[in-house]
Amino acid sequence: MNKKIAKWSLEDIEALYHLPFNDLIYKAQTIHRENHDPNKIQVSTLMSIKTGGCPEDCKYCSQSIKYNTDVEIEKLLSVDDVVAQAKAAKDSGASRRNLNDSNLSRIKDMVKAVKSLNLETCLTLGMLKKEQAESLKECGLDYYNHNLDSSEEYYSKVVATRNYRDRLNTLSYVRDAGIKVCTGGILGLGEENIDRLKLIEVLCNMEEQPESVPMNKLVKIEGTPYSDNENVDNFDFIKVIAIARITMPKTYVRLSAGRDTMNDEMQALCFFAGANSIFYGDELLTTKNSSINHDKNLLDKLRIKTI
């Protein structure tokens, strides 16, 4: 596990942000090399086992019932369907499988079935109670994903049906149950750079740093309140990756949603800044992702191997 290291103040994190770009990237790459193989990345695939019908009002999400998007409500997949997709993902080179929804007894069966394929498992089910986290640990769950999205101050502008403390409580239950923590944010929600730095402040100062930190670039979906948001500046995104690496040296920093909008040069800079995990596959839940063939070609060009 990622044990707690020296506490980072917001002022320290702001100082990193204001470094000359080359100095920041050099520092991030140096720390990255001290803790990871710089030419290897973790590959994860993401599968939705139930699509649409979410009662929450996250303003970026196509699956919320609050917004008129093209996503149709679908039933929970069967265990056999999940296993078939997990086998296909493994054959494509994935080492980790993310599942998404909340019919707990059936999901526990899915976790056991996917683990039998020698794949790591990660779930995204929203808020959890203490007993639910413990139950998921009993079935062998490796990781639990629960993103904080942004700073606590900005979060209320993104979601009204839950609050920041709810999310932190879920992460505490997950950690206490002995499950690895996967939590990160989304850039492009209308937040300021200070909100991004405050998010990193929360993540890196957890009692035990997250094992995995996904950084998402907003996918603008027609019908959601954020469909017309301004694009995130590419250099600001890369700087957030670098600061995450510096403040969380042993964590897997993952390029997540929005990667299909990044050109090869931007992705290469993100890897150089310390990103060492990607979501793999042509689709992430209900949004597009960089194609498998494109990813294979890019990683071949960079001579980066997958783990």
Side-chain angles (χ1 to χ4, degrees):
M1 287 189 178
N2 292 335
K3 298 299 182 184
K4 186 176 180 179
I5 60 174
K7 188 175 179 67
W8 284 86
S9 70
L10 182 59
E11 290 73 22
D12 292 336
I13 295 170
E14 287 184 281
L16 291 175
Y17 179 82
H18 291 296
L19 284 173
F21 184 78
N22 285 346
D23 291 351
L24 175 64
I25 301 305
Y26 176 78
K27 185 176 182 67
Q29 173 65 193
T30 301
I31 290 174
H32 187 54
R33 285 177 174 269
E34 290 171 354
N35 294 277
H36 304 273
D37 186 326
N39 297 307
K40 289 184 179 180
I41 64 167
Q42 178 199 62
V43 172
S44 301
T45 63
L46 185 62
M47 173 178 56
S48 179
I49 57 176
K50 184 179 180 297
T51 302
C54 180
E56 309 293 349
D57 67 349
C58 306
K59 293 180 180 177
Y60 53 81
C61 185
S62 63
Q63 300 198 60
S64 172
I65 60 173
K66 310 290 185 181
Y67 313 125
N68 185 20
T69 66
D70 292 334
V71 173
E72 296 182 1
I73 298 175
E74 299 176 1
K75 294 181 179 179
L76 186 69
L77 291 181
S78 70
V79 174
D80 288 343
D81 288 335
V82 170
V83 170
Q85 291 190 38
K87 286 180 178 177
K90 184 176 182 181
D91 291 342
S92 295
S95 61
R96 181 172 164 196
R97 192 65 173 163
N98 288 40
L99 307 174
N100 179 8
D101 195 53
S102 56
N103 186 320
L104 199 56
S105 60
R106 287 175 65 186
I107 286 171
K108 289 168 64 176
D109 290 338
M110 294 175 189
V111 170
K112 293 174 183 176
V114 171
K115 282 186 68 67
S116 72
L117 302 175
N118 292 319
L119 289 170
E120 286 189 323
T121 52
C122 181
L123 284 172
T124 306
L125 306 176
M127 305 298 171
L128 287 182
K129 298 176 182 177
K130 182 176 184 292
E131 319 82 72
Q132 292 172 321
E134 292 170 348
S135 182
L136 289 170
K137 174 61 178 178
E138 289 172 3
C139 75
L141 182 67
D142 297 298
Y143 287 80
Y144 192 82
N145 168 256
H146 196 61
N147 287 338
L148 293 176
D149 293 344
S150 189
S151 69
E152 183 170 8
E153 291 84 352
Y154 194 75
Y155 186 77
S156 62
K157 298 179 182 178
V158 180
V159 185
T161 47
R162 297 288 183 181
N163 62 49
Y164 214 68
R165 175 47 55 186
D166 292 332
R167 304 192 82 80
L168 290 172
N169 286 343
T170 288
L171 292 174
S172 293
Y173 297 148
V174 168
R175 177 63 79 197
D176 290 346
I179 300 170
K180 295 176 183 176
V181 169
C182 174
T183 182
I186 305 172
L187 278 63
L189 303 176
E191 78 284 353
E192 302 291 336
N193 276 323
I194 189 63
D195 295 300
R196 300 164 186 171
L197 303 183
K198 286 181 176 180
L199 168 66
I200 292 177
E201 180 190 20
V202 172
L203 295 172
C204 72
N205 287 315
M206 288 181 171
E207 188 171 348
E208 291 183 22
Q209 293 188 334
E211 282 80 6
S212 178
V213 169
M215 285 297 176
N216 300 273
K217 191 166 174 273
L218 177 69
V219 178
K220 293 184 278 189
I221 298 167
E222 193 68 33
T224 64
Y226 289 162
S227 61
D228 294 323
N229 276 23
E230 290 186 15
N231 291 329
V232 177
D233 180 84
N234 288 345
F235 287 108
D236 280 334
F237 188 93
I238 295 164
K239 289 168 75 172
V240 167
I241 295 295
I243 294 168
R245 170 52 65 223
I246 293 167
T247 58
M248 293 174 279
K250 297 187 180 300
T251 295
Y252 278 99
V253 178
R254 180 180 302 125
L255 299 185
S256 299
R259 196 163 57 82
D260 68 304
T261 66
M262 302 178 191
N263 62 29
D264 288 354
E265 292 78 9
M266 181 179 176
Q267 290 191 63
L269 265 177
C270 285
F271 295 143
F272 192 65
N276 61 341
S277 180
I278 61 171
F279 274 128
Y280 199 55
D282 296 342
E283 189 173 81
L284 296 182
L285 301 182
T286 60
T287 61
K288 286 197 312 179
N289 191 36
S290 181
S291 73
I292 290 176
N293 285 338
H294 182 272
D295 284 343
K296 286 181 176 178
N297 290 335
L298 173 60
L299 296 179
D300 284 345
K301 285 180 188 177
L302 300 176
R303 297 192 179 180
I304 290 178
K305 296 181 179 180
T306 60
I307 55 174

